[in-house]
Amino acid sequence: MVRAAGLEPVLLSMMDSALVVDGLRKRYGDTMAVDGVSFEVAAGEIFGIIGANGSGKTTTVECVQALRQADAGSVRVFGIDPQTDRASLRSVVGSQLQESELPNRLRVWEALDLFASISPTSADWRELLADWGLAEKKDAAFASLSGGQRQRLLVALALVNSPRLVFLDEMTTGLDPAARRVAWDLIDQIRLGGTTVVLVTHFMDEAERLCDRIAVFRQGRIIAAGSPQGLVDAHAGDATVHFSTDEADLSWLANSQGVERIDRAGSRVTVHGSGPLLAHTAATLVAHGIAPLDLRTERKTLEDAFLALTARQGGTTA
Amino acid sequence: MKALRKLTWIELKLFTRDPLSLVFTLALPFFFLIVLNGVFGNEVETDPAEDVWRGVGPADYYVPAYLGLVMSAIGVLSMPTRLASYRERGVLRRFRASAMPLWAVLGSQIAIALLTAVVGAVSITIASTLIYGTDLQPADSLAFVPAFALAALSFGALGVLLGSVMPTSRSAQGAGIMLFFVMFLLSGSGPPREVLTGPMKALGNLLPLTHVITLLQDPWLGFGWNTGASIIVASILVGSVALSIRYFRWE
Ligand SMILES: Nc1ncnc2c1ncn2[C@@H]1O[C@H](COP(=O)(O)OP(=O)(O)OP(=O)(O)O)[C@@H](O)[C@H]1O
Ligand SMILES: [Mg+2]
């Protein structure tokens, strides 16, 4: 797996930006669907957007593409203002919309051929057909495709104009586990080809696997942003280390680096803390002549960070 | 241009794959032709006081009426239903996100309307000639060809307008079927207009198909260009285009 070096937000303005969003707002009646969202995506980056249902992810990416009219805020896609220069925008952007279908009786190859004909920069759609596992379904009507096959066709359509920036809104929803992994590899390849990707997803493993940086949405705002590991470190909560011992007095363990709390239930011990807790705990235990066979840590994941972030009330803007 | 060509070709294929469109635009008018000609034959009524067929045989009277009926099936039924369903299912959104030009989307629809009108006209005229011995050609081709083009374009534009304002494909289909049958009965493609009662005639005068049939029938039967009908049909065309531009929505 190739991943660009961790891009810190500070460095971004010095680099080529694929996308700059500043103060984006969109209201539907009483709902502030998007409430002052700002972020920047560097060229060549895979930028993830995660957040609960209705947190404004789709509204944001569709406003950015001028498929919806934002109430306020500015957007630049490779320097292009989507509101005033749609034609230039469309020629650099590919888009897989969360909700869209094709005519029922349209065949797979016809769809690719048609969408390829719109843009002069189009890739060879036969390759996309093979890449996205649709070669066998070439002549199948859209209505006869399974959910995952439709999804793959729609992603292939998003890529058919060889975009410099592609928006994928829940790309792998409905895909089987094998197809998801194939999709991940394809996204890696697309990025290697120089395409910037904005990926909206509900799958934390997908975001962790693919994204260089992630923005976490809650109620129309970005409440946290950073690299997957950065988000885990900052928000996934305490690290924990587990082991068993018959030693009665463990009070000395509290002085070990990073340890915040020790829970005991019979011989089973759970150490809560922060930082490289496993390494420090192990060193301290060994120094006291204890070498438990079952010493282990629980790896915190993006999912832990996500749950912690989205459960919190009144989050702060990153 | 390439997109328009591709889209038109695909829409044509989709049209032939859609049984509902085929039935309403091609099969149903043909069925009406068989039934009505079977009932009325093609004898010219010699007593002018008794004549309701404009001085020609009923089968001759009906040929141009059915050409108009085919156009109306496209314009009020198949096109609005298709466009509304495209909007409802996000096909138009998909097109828009991929920079499919609006003129290609609408142009392909109009092209299909014209093509179907021509195919319908040719098959109905040939069938009627073979079965009932009606004329294979208009009496006044010079006037008929522009009349036909104007009428087909006008219903094409009306189809775009209805497809633009109908909220769902179901409402488009419901309204379309109703309009289609009301027009069939009151515009001179069912009972001849002469036998309609006053209110029926008045209502018929409000329907586009009535004027389209007059526009087609006059040159077909050799009565020349009908200026009144052509002005009305052209107004429908212009009005529909203007209102479509105003009300067309991608989603
Ligand atoms: N066209 C619309 N009309 C009215 N309200 C809307 C519209 N689109 C979105 N909303 C509202 O805006 C909010 C954000 O919706 P959005 O679709 O952006 O969420 P999302 O983060 O993409 O959710 P999901 O994960 O379910 O796709 C929701 O409360 C939604 O109900
Ligand atoms: Mg969404």
Side-chain angles (χ1 to χ4, degrees):
Chain A
M1 182 181 95
V2 181
R3 175 174 285 176
L7 296 160
E8 294 307 317
V10 224
L11 291 178
L12 277 184
S13 44
M14 287 190 255
M15 310 187 47
D16 286 340
S17 288
L19 175 62
V20 184
V21 177
D22 189 21
L24 196 70
R25 274 173 217 284
K26 175 76 183 175
R27 171 200 287 275
Y28 289 111
D30 289 339
T31 315
M32 276 309 268
V34 178
D35 191 5
V37 160
S38 306
F39 60 94
E40 216 169 319
V41 179
E45 190 178 26
I46 301 184
F47 186 84
I49 294 181
I50 61 179
N53 292 135
S55 56
K57 305 180 297 297
T58 298
T59 307
T60 298
V61 294
E62 295 198 358
C63 284
V64 164
Q65 296 174 75
L67 291 170
R68 302 188 197 184
Q69 178 84 43
D71 298 332
S74 89
V75 176
R76 290 292 179 278
V77 178
F78 294 109
I80 300 164
D81 182 350
Q83 290 300 337
T84 57
D85 195 358
R86 269 161 205 259
S88 310
L89 174 82
R90 299 277 182 257
S91 65
V92 295
V93 157
S95 153
Q96 178 249 317
L97 306 171
Q98 188 180 3
E99 267 160 36
S100 74
E101 286 185 79
L102 294 170
N104 278 333
R105 292 183 177 83
L106 187 66
R107 311 221 159 115
V108 168
W109 77 267
E110 290 171 339
L112 283 159
D113 188 38
L114 174 65
F115 283 84
S117 77
I118 303 172
S119 162
T121 55
S122 288
D124 183 0
W125 56 262
R126 285 164 199 86
E127 258 173 48
L128 283 170
L129 198 68
D131 283 352
W132 290 89
L134 292 164
E136 274 172 35
K137 289 286 167 185
K138 190 172 170 287
D139 294 317
F142 181 76
S144 76
L145 298 177
S146 75
Q149 289 164 345
R150 287 180 192 199
Q151 190 73 353
R152 280 184 271 157
L153 174 58
L154 292 171
V155 177
L157 290 179
L159 298 170
V160 79
N161 62 337
S162 319
R164 292 172 66 195
L165 169 62
V166 64
F167 292 91
L168 302 171
D169 196 347
E170 302 199 16
M171 157 188 81
T172 59
T173 296
L175 265 62
D176 66 58
R180 279 179 62 204
R181 273 158 188 81
V182 171
W184 295 350
D185 289 341
L186 288 165
I187 296 305
D188 270 336
Q189 276 174 36
I190 290 164
R191 181 252 287 280
L192 282 178
T195 301
T196 310
V197 180
V198 173
L199 180 76
V200 177
T201 184
H202 285 302
F203 295 108
M204 296 303 127
D205 53 345
E206 179 169 301
E208 224 170 349
R209 155 84 169 70
L210 287 175
C211 298
D212 300 304
R213 289 187 311 127
I214 295 170
V216 185
F217 275 59
R218 201 168 69 93
Q219 291 175 4
R221 293 165 188 252
I222 296 181
I223 52 165
S227 68
Q229 193 56 51
L231 287 174
V232 173
D233 292 345
H235 303 286
D238 293 355
T240 52
V241 169
H242 306 265
F243 62 93
S244 309
T245 180
D246 295 328
E247 182 73 39
D249 180 20
L250 289 176
S251 53
W252 40 266
L253 190 54
N255 300 325
S256 176
Q257 196 175 329
V259 172
E260 280 154 18
R261 201 173 85 236
I262 300 168
D263 290 341
R264 256 196 110 141
S267 64
R268 275 178 295 139
V269 181
T270 304
V271 182
H272 299 265
S274 57
L277 191 64
L278 181 64
H280 290 305
T281 307
T284 310
L285 287 173
V286 170
H288 285 78
I290 299 173
L293 285 170
D294 62 348
L295 183 70
R296 66 192 167 82
T297 186
E298 251 166 39
R299 196 178 87 85
K300 292 293 177 181
T301 62
L302 189 59
E303 188 149 338
D304 298 311
F306 177 82
L307 291 174
L309 278 166
T310 51
R312 192 191 301 159
Q313 293 302 305
T316 51
T317 309
Chain B
M1 222 42 211
K2 198 171 156 204
L4 175 64
R5 245 187 305 128
K6 277 258 155 68
L7 190 56
T8 306
W9 178 232
I10 281 176
E11 286 290 357
L12 192 63
K13 288 197 271 187
L14 290 176
F15 184 84
T16 62
R17 289 175 199 159
D18 177 13
L20 189 81
S21 294
L22 288 176
V23 164
F24 272 95
T25 52
L26 300 175
L28 209 56
F30 187 74
F31 175 73
F32 291 155
L33 174 120
I34 303 278
V35 171
L36 290 170
N37 284 0
V39 172
F40 297 116
N42 201 18
E43 287 299 308
V44 180
E45 174 60 60
T46 42
D47 178 359
E50 289 287 301
D51 179 48
V52 295
W53 308 102
R54 308 190 68 187
V56 300
D60 282 312
Y61 171 98
Y62 277 127
V63 171
Y66 288 132
L67 306 195
L69 194 63
V70 171
M71 295 174 187
S72 75
I74 303 161
V76 303
L77 196 49
S78 100
M79 203 144 103
T81 310
R82 187 164 53 241
L83 271 176
S85 124
Y86 279 8
R87 179 175 320 100
E88 198 172 38
R89 306 182 63 226
V91 176
L92 292 180
R93 256 161 72 75
R94 183 60 271 171
F95 279 162
R96 184 178 179 216
S98 295
M100 177 69 84
L102 179 59
W103 53 266
V105 175
L106 301 185
S108 65
Q109 296 294 328
I110 305 261
I112 299 304
L114 282 173
L115 257 160
T116 339
V118 170
V119 170
V122 169
S123 50
I124 281 174
T125 313
I126 291 178
S128 181
T129 305
L130 291 177
I131 308 174
Y132 306 104
T134 51
D135 289 339
L136 191 56
Q137 279 180 16
D140 184 351
S141 301
L142 213 63
F144 181 78
V145 171
F148 186 90
L150 176 61
L153 276 176
S154 187
F155 263 125
L158 188 64
V160 171
L161 175 61
L162 291 174
S164 302
V165 295
M166 284 296 168
T168 63
S169 61
R170 284 187 68 85
S171 60
Q173 200 172 57
I177 288 179
M178 206 185 73
L179 252 173
F180 177 80
F181 282 106
V182 170
M183 291 204 295
F184 164 70
L185 287 171
L186 298 182
S187 293
S189 45
R193 296 257 299 148
E194 283 295 309
V195 305
L196 298 179
T197 64
M200 290 184 199
K201 246 188 196 160
L203 185 55
N205 279 333
L206 298 175
L207 300 171
L209 182 58
T210 305
H211 307 287
V212 161
I213 289 179
T214 309
L215 182 67
L216 296 173
Q217 212 168 36
D218 278 13
W220 183 270
L221 298 176
F223 303 147
W225 180 262
N226 189 313
T227 310
S230 68
I231 289 173
I232 295 173
V233 175
S235 314
I236 295 171
L237 172 61
V238 173
S240 301
V241 169
L243 291 172
S244 299
I245 292 171
R246 172 83 178 68
Y247 290 111
F248 181 84
R249 288 167 299 129
W250 289 95
E251 51 191 289

